[in-house]
């Protein structure tokens, strides 16, 4: 449901929050109105501080048993954890069952259990009973509930019953719906209108940052997150987006600073810990990488296969770098088990390249080449797989072999292919084939400056544009 971020900036709320936190730190009892305590619950929950919100809810219920605000919060948390019976117990404990929030909770319990037909019937019946002046807000509330559970089409159906496209709450809900549907351009248009209307709402900047993150627009994501943090310092979504952007921009040291700040507010967050492990890997701090990744593994939800695969792959690479091949292959196997739907399924060629890279890193070149060749065969000579093999060989200093595989790749490149030329140039130059190497560098700078900077950036002055690399290097005496 919608929470008014502006409330949290008001002096009255800040005073109440300070009063509560001071009493808690001194282990004293503080008597507050239930509405004030509910606002504090919303404040903590809004910023992802669920444990703190839970503490306030428990405290509020000692003062006001049966109060709707704390019980709705606790019921929603139970739903998020799939504990439907527990959620029902909390909802049954609500004293005022005429409150609209109780109705929304009953409907949400149906949605959470994928009983959308029953929920729709409930909504339509309530809509018919509701005063026409309340229809607009009712539609927005129903749409928001559906969006929370990923039912974008149903949310859009209810949104169509409203008729003020410039209304702030409607614009925000529209942005959320488009985000869920992956229509990021339309979502961005809504968010830009919201930001133009009021640039001091951090959640709008955070939504924009998340879209930019999904689109690979990392500098833009970083900028949006910084606006969010300027408005609401230390907000968890802003810290998360900025850390992710910095990691993607190959700034692991700066990313670590923001992940640490994030973990101060959300301890034992496996996703943040896994990303910190990746940061340490990029910094070649292998012991810290291993420790952080193993911590993430311990905190990870066992049902989160995507995150576990990331953790296992990074642990495999970490142990490979530590020259513990058996351990590396063990983690690689765990990742592959999670990834495969069937034990009899044909192996994924991309994962085979990763195994080959680990073998190559541990001085088992013949085994690695055998796996590389099998991966290329299974992929029907996919250019993507051949490129991964070339890069792996280049990274391990096997330049002559990388050149041979790249020449094979060249015979399979589709029209417009622009990858790998920098690695070919680097391999040729490092094997003293300067004339051909310089020509490949010229090609690389023409078709893919990003890759050329990645491979050759350290060789040239930092301020030298990529398109000047060829002119610079052709005059160098090798």
């Amino acid at each position: 449901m919608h929470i008014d971020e502006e409330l949290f900036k008001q002096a009255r709320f800040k005073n109440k929050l300070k009063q509560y936190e001071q009493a808690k730190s001194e282990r004293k009892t503080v008597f507050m109105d239930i509405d004030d305590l509910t606002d504090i619950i919303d404040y903590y929950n809004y910023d992802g501080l669920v444990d703190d919100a839970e503490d306030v809810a428990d405290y509020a219920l000692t003062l006001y048993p049966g109060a709707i605000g704390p019980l709705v919060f606790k019921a929603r948390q139970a739903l998020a954890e799939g504990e439907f019976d527990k959620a029902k117990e909390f909802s049954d404990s609500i004293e005022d069952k005429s409150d609209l929030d109780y109705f929304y909770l009953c409907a949400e319990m149906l949605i959470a259990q994928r009983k959308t037909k029953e929920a729709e019937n409930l909504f339509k019946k309530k809509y018919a009973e509701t005063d026409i002046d309340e229809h607009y807000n009712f539609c927005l509330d129903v749409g928001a509930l559906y969006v929370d559970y990923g039912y974008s089409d149903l949310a859009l159906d209810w949104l169509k019953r409203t008729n003020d496209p410039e209304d702030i709450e409607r614009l925000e809900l529209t942005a959320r719906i488009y985000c869920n549907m992956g229509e990021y351009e339309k979502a961005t248009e809504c968010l830009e209108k919201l930001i133009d209307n009021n640039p001091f709402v951090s959640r709008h900047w955070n939504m924009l940052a998340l879209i930019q993150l999904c689109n690979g627009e990392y500098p833009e994501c970083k900028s949006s997150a910084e606006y969010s943090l300027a408005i609401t310092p230390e907000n968890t979504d802003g810290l998360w987006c900025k850390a992710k952007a910095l990691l993607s921009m190959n700034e692991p040291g700066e990313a670590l600073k923001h992940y640490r700040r994030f973990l101060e507010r959300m301890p034992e967050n496996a996703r943040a810990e896994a990303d910190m492990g990746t940061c340490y890997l990029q910094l070649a701090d292998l012991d810290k990488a291993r420790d952080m990744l193993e911590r993430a593994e311990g905190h990870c939800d066992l049902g989160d296969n995507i995150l576990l695969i990331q953790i296992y792959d990074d642990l495999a690479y970490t142990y490979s770098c530590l020259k513990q091949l058996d351990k590396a292959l063990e983690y690689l196997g765990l990742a592959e088990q999670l990834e495969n739907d069937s034990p009899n399924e044909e192996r994924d060629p991309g994962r085979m390249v990763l195994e080959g890279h680990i073998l190559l890193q541990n001085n088992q070149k013949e085994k690695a080449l055998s796996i590389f060749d099998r991966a290329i065969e299974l992929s029907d000579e996919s250019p993507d797989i051949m490129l991964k093999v070339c890069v792996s060989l280049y990274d391990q200093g096997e330049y002559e072999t990388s050149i041979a595989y790249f020449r094979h790749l060249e015979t399979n490149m589709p029209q417009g292919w622009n990858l790998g030329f920098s690695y070919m140039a680097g391999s040729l130059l490092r094997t003293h084939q300067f004339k051909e190497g310089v020509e490949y560098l010229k090609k690389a700078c023409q078709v893919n400056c990003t890759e050329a900077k990645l491979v050759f950036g350290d060789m040239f002055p930092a301020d030298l544009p990529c398109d000047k690399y060829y002119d610079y290097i052709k005059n160098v005496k090798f």
Side-chain angles (χ1 to χ4, degrees):
M1 305 299 286
H2 177 69
I3 293 175
D4 184 8
E5 186 180 315
E6 296 300 314
L7 168 69
F8 304 145
K9 300 174 186 176
Q10 294 174 7
R12 184 182 183 281
F13 173 79
K14 289 180 179 179
N15 288 336
K16 290 293 182 181
L17 178 64
K18 184 178 179 181
Q19 184 183 347
Y20 169 80
E21 290 183 338
Q22 185 172 342
K24 182 183 177 184
S25 68
E26 296 172 358
R27 298 187 178 182
K28 292 181 179 178
T29 301
V30 57
F31 292 97
M32 281 188 182
D33 184 273
I34 184 58
D35 291 337
D36 291 329
L37 288 169
T38 300
D39 288 341
I40 294 173
I41 293 169
D42 288 342
Y43 167 76
Y44 284 133
N45 188 41
Y46 181 72
D47 198 23
L49 305 176
V50 178
D51 291 343
D52 290 329
E54 191 83 43
D55 289 344
V56 184
D58 290 339
Y59 177 69
L61 290 171
T62 64
L63 300 177
Y64 304 97
I68 190 164
L71 286 167
V72 166
F73 165 76
K74 290 179 77 68
R76 294 198 83 192
Q77 288 306 118
L79 290 176
E81 294 165 7
E83 298 182 2
F84 303 120
D85 291 341
K86 193 174 179 181
K88 183 70 166 59
E89 288 177 19
F90 287 130
S91 71
D92 289 343
S93 301
I94 293 171
E95 286 182 357
D96 185 3
K97 292 183 171 59
S98 66
D99 193 299
L100 190 58
D101 283 342
Y102 173 75
F103 165 80
Y104 286 136
L105 178 59
C106 292
E108 183 174 358
M109 287 192 289
L110 291 172
I111 297 170
Q113 296 175 78
R114 301 186 180 279
K115 298 178 180 179
T116 53
K117 288 184 179 178
E118 291 94 326
E120 273 290 277
N121 291 334
L122 204 61
F123 287 139
K124 288 173 181 176
K125 184 174 183 294
K126 189 71 172 179
Y127 182 81
E129 297 169 356
T130 304
D131 290 342
I132 195 167
D133 291 344
E134 297 299 320
H135 278 180
Y136 192 93
N137 287 333
F138 183 84
C139 291
L140 293 181
D141 287 340
V142 173
L145 271 176
Y146 276 132
V147 167
D148 284 347
Y149 287 87
Y151 291 103
S152 302
D153 291 339
L154 289 169
L156 202 54
D157 287 343
W158 281 90
L159 192 66
K160 287 174 182 176
R161 299 173 188 236
T162 63
N163 56 7
D164 184 359
E166 300 304 313
D167 175 72
I168 298 304
E169 287 190 37
R170 188 183 190 280
L171 266 175
E172 183 171 335
L173 179 57
T174 305
R176 290 182 62 201
I177 291 171
Y178 284 138
C179 274
N180 279 11
M181 296 171 73
E183 296 191 28
Y184 297 134
E185 190 173 335
K186 290 181 179 179
T188 299
E189 288 176 11
C190 295
L191 288 167
E192 286 173 347
K193 288 181 181 178
L194 288 166
I195 289 168
D196 286 343
N197 177 74
N198 182 358
F200 301 106
V201 180
S202 60
R203 71 175 177 276
H204 296 159
W205 286 108
N206 286 333
M207 286 176 69
L208 185 59
L210 283 169
I211 289 172
Q212 290 160 338
L213 195 63
C214 291
N215 285 337
E217 299 167 341
Y218 304 123
E220 293 82 359
C221 172
K222 175 175 172 283
S223 176
S224 295
E226 285 170 347
Y227 278 113
S228 166
L229 292 165
I231 298 163
T232 311
E234 305 303 307
N235 81 80
T236 50
D237 286 343
L239 289 170
W240 175 262
C241 287
K242 187 171 180 183
K244 290 288 284 188
L246 288 164
L247 176 56
S248 301
M249 293 164 66
N250 296 311
E251 297 184 39
E254 285 299 308
L256 277 171
K257 294 177 186 177
H258 289 80
Y259 280 122
R260 289 190 191 105
R261 287 164 61 188
F262 177 88
L263 282 174
E264 284 176 8
R265 297 181 67 77
M266 296 193 72
E268 300 185 358
N269 183 282
R271 291 184 180 278
E273 291 168 340
D275 281 354
M276 287 180 74
T278 303
C279 289
Y280 284 124
L281 260 182
Q282 289 187 9
L283 293 167
D285 193 335
L286 299 177
D287 289 335
K288 285 186 179 178
R290 178 197 58 212
D291 294 346
M292 189 58 69
L293 289 164
E294 288 179 348
R295 189 185 305 178
E297 181 186 9
H299 294 149
C300 185
D301 180 351
L302 291 177
D304 192 346
N305 283 6
I306 293 174
L307 181 58
L308 276 171
I309 288 168
Q310 175 194 332
I311 292 168
Y312 290 155
D313 279 346
D314 278 355
L315 277 168
Y317 185 72
T318 302
Y319 277 110
S320 177
C321 293
L322 289 166
K323 304 303 179 186
Q324 297 183 41
L325 179 59
D326 290 344
K327 197 79 172 172
L329 294 176
E330 177 188 337
Y331 274 110
L332 207 59
L334 289 172
E336 190 162 8
Q337 285 175 26
L338 288 177
E339 209 167 61
N340 286 352
D341 295 328
S342 166
N344 298 320
E345 187 177 325
E346 195 72 76
R347 292 194 69 191
D348 173 54
R351 186 157 290 286
M352 292 174 72
V353 173
L354 181 56
E355 181 182 349
H357 183 82
I358 285 173
L359 289 167
L360 197 63
Q361 198 172 31
N362 285 270
N363 304 314
Q364 298 201 23
K365 183 177 177 180
E366 292 307 313
K367 281 187 179 180
L369 292 180
S370 175
I371 287 177
F372 287 155
D373 290 341
R374 180 60 179 151
I376 291 169
E377 181 185 349
L378 284 175
S379 72
D380 294 325
E381 299 197 333
S382 159
D384 290 319
I385 293 300
M386 284 192 273
L387 174 65
K388 287 179 180 179
V389 170
C390 292
V391 173
S392 174
L393 289 161
Y394 179 88
D395 283 346
Q396 294 305 307
E398 298 290 343
Y399 303 120
E400 291 281 8
T401 315
S402 184
I403 291 168
Y405 276 87
F406 191 84
R407 296 203 191 280
H408 185 193
L409 167 59
E410 283 185 300
T411 66
N412 289 269
M413 286 180 182
Q415 189 173 1
W417 181 267
N418 68 346
L419 301 171
F421 295 99
S422 300
Y423 294 98
M424 180 60 161
S427 296
L428 288 163
L429 292 172
R430 284 168 170 79
T431 54
H432 308 290
Q433 300 175 64
F434 301 121
K435 184 177 179 181
E436 191 179 8
V438 169
E439 289 305 311
Y440 269 97
L441 176 59
K442 181 180 181 180
K443 170 80 170 176
C445 292
Q446 288 171 342
V447 300
N448 193 332
C449 261
T450 302
E451 185 186 87
K453 282 182 174 291
L454 178 66
V455 176
F456 289 103
D458 293 342
M459 282 182 57
F460 298 97
D463 59 349
L464 186 70
C466 170
D467 58 9
K468 301 296 183 186
Y469 284 5
Y470 175 72
D471 293 331
Y472 184 93
I473 202 170
K474 72 180 181 181
N475 296 315
V476 173
K477 299 294 183 185
F478 292 101

